[in-house]
Amino acid sequence: MKSRNFILAAMLMAMPSTIMAQQNIKKAFDALLNEKITENKTQHVLEEDSETGRLKAMCDVYDFTISTSSALERLKEARKAFDKDLKDAYSVNTALRDKDGDDVEKGSFASLFESIGFAPVTLYVGDGSYSSVAIGSMKGSEYIYACFADKTDPDRRYRYAYAMEWVEKGKKTKVRLAITYALRPEARNNKKISKTRVIVNGTELPNTDADGNSSGLKTSESWLSEFNAYKRMFLKHPDGSTATHYATSIYGLCKKSDMLEPEEKQIVISELTKLKDKSTDELIQNVFEMSIKKLK
């Protein structure tokens, strides 16, 4: 474990000290890794520009098993850390893998999503010349990952990605933690970087990559998947500081819902009515009411 701590410290020192957007996640990862764990495997990549000294590629992956109550508590805290840093991410993605390996969204839309059959997502490292990191490959696992633009990069071409995947196996819990630094998808494709945004969804949607870069038109399946993920995140804190963000994000979706069938719109309207009743904020209630009107 001493070697693991040394490598982790070195990697964190390599990150610009002015990057504070994902500080809660970084602290939570470090706390979890300092618990009593059975470490199975690690992999690391670190590349810097020889002339400028700027970071070009970085990858830390830790696969391990935990079983103590304190380690499980640190795991819960790490999950909560993603919510704390949510406002600074341009993409936050969560999913639950069923026992057969498919992604299944929690909530009333579960049966609809079971037929989509998403594959595990991959997080790029550097310019893509290094092996990508797979998230969501463990059957029955839950996972979450978030992407943050590198604020020290004047062209905003690079991003940090933080990922966590976990699954209970009897009295033990298998965990994968990953931190990668890579070109954003627009930069890899030599396209202009779009405005920072948050796309919250179960996993890689059709026409969307793991960094949240969207291309092409949404299908009804991807629309519903994105709606359900916004709904799930809203329900975690229906009157919290991020509730308005999710409500307005849902409203934005409802303004562009032409691809939905009438039956699908009725299902969404029913869900919106439930969301409206969950909030005591008048503004949020009005936003959901406007969303319903858009669908009608």
Side-chain angles (χ1 to χ4, degrees):
M1 293 301 297
K2 290 183 178 180
S3 61
R4 195 274 305 158
N5 289 330
F6 176 79
I7 295 174
L8 176 63
M11 294 300 180
L12 291 177
M13 289 178 63
M15 297 181 185
S17 59
T18 55
I19 293 297
M20 302 298 290
Q22 56 270 31
Q23 61 176 332
N24 291 298
I25 299 176
K26 287 197 296 185
K27 290 179 180 178
F29 276 21
D30 196 16
L32 177 56
L33 287 168
N34 279 302
E35 284 291 324
K36 183 178 181 181
I37 63 178
T38 302
E39 190 168 348
N40 301 320
K41 182 177 61 176
T42 65
Q43 52 181 298
H44 305 281
V45 170
L46 181 62
E47 179 187 359
E48 296 179 343
D49 188 289
S50 58
E51 295 183 358
T52 65
R54 288 190 58 85
L55 189 62
K56 293 181 61 178
M58 184 271 291
C59 172
D60 286 337
V61 181
Y62 303 94
D63 293 291
F64 55 91
T65 301
I66 56 176
S67 58
T68 66
S69 58
S70 60
L72 291 172
E73 185 62 30
R74 298 292 88 75
L75 179 66
K76 291 180 181 179
E77 292 175 357
R79 175 61 186 85
K80 293 178 181 178
F82 281 87
D83 292 334
K84 294 179 181 179
D85 289 337
L86 180 67
K87 63 182 183 300
D88 297 310
Y90 67 82
S91 177
V92 181
N93 306 264
T94 65
L96 170 67
R97 302 280 293 175
D98 69 14
K99 293 182 180 179
D100 294 324
D102 293 328
D103 292 305
V104 178
E105 295 284 354
K106 298 176 181 176
S108 60
F109 282 85
S111 61
L112 178 63
F113 297 115
E114 286 176 356
S115 62
I116 299 176
F118 292 116
V121 297
T122 56
L123 299 176
Y124 271 81
V125 178
D127 60 3
S129 58
Y130 293 96
S131 297
S132 298
V133 178
I135 300 296
S137 59
M138 293 187 286
K139 293 181 179 181
S141 69
E142 289 187 66
Y143 63 88
I144 181 170
Y145 61 88
C147 297
F148 302 85
D150 181 0
K151 294 183 179 180
T152 67
D153 177 13
D155 298 322
R156 299 179 71 83
R157 299 174 68 244
Y158 285 86
R159 63 97 181 106
Y160 289 95
Y162 288 75
M164 182 171 72
E165 180 181 6
W166 66 101
V167 61
E168 293 184 11
K169 298 286 187 179
K171 296 183 180 180
K172 298 180 179 180
T173 300
K174 295 182 65 176
V175 182
R176 162 166 280 202
L177 299 183
I179 308 172
T180 72
Y181 185 80
L183 284 171
R184 293 178 63 177
E186 302 92 333
R188 293 196 298 267
N189 297 327
N190 295 318
K191 295 179 180 178
K192 183 179 179 180
I193 298 294
S194 60
K195 293 182 179 179
T196 299
R197 56 186 178 170
V198 176
I199 299 177
V200 185
N201 43 54
T203 182
E204 185 176 1
L205 299 177
N207 301 319
T208 306
D209 69 13
D211 289 302
N213 185 51
S214 179
S215 61
L217 298 176
K218 279 188 175 67
T219 63
S220 62
E221 289 83 2
S222 64
W223 192 102
L224 290 168
S225 182
E226 191 169 340
F227 170 81
N228 194 51
Y230 278 126
K231 182 196 76 172
R232 286 176 58 196
M233 298 299 286
F234 172 83
L235 288 174
K236 290 183 178 181
H237 306 287
D239 290 301
S241 59
T242 60
T244 302
H245 164 74
Y246 292 121
T248 55
S249 297
I250 288 173
Y251 176 63
L253 280 176
C254 293
K255 290 169 64 178
K256 301 177 181 179
S257 57
D258 293 341
M259 77 291 294
L260 298 181
E261 297 292 334
E263 295 82 1
E264 293 171 329
K265 288 185 177 181
Q266 286 302 317
I267 294 175
V268 176
I269 289 173
S270 176
E271 293 298 314
L272 287 170
T273 301
K274 296 176 184 178
L275 294 179
K276 179 183 174 183
D277 293 339
K278 287 289 185 179
S279 178
T280 58
D281 188 287
E282 186 175 355
L283 172 62
I284 291 177
Q285 291 176 340
N286 289 335
V287 170
F288 284 137
E289 186 62 37
M290 290 190 299
S291 300
I292 292 172
K293 291 180 178 179
K294 289 295 181 181
L295 290 169
K296 291 182 176 179

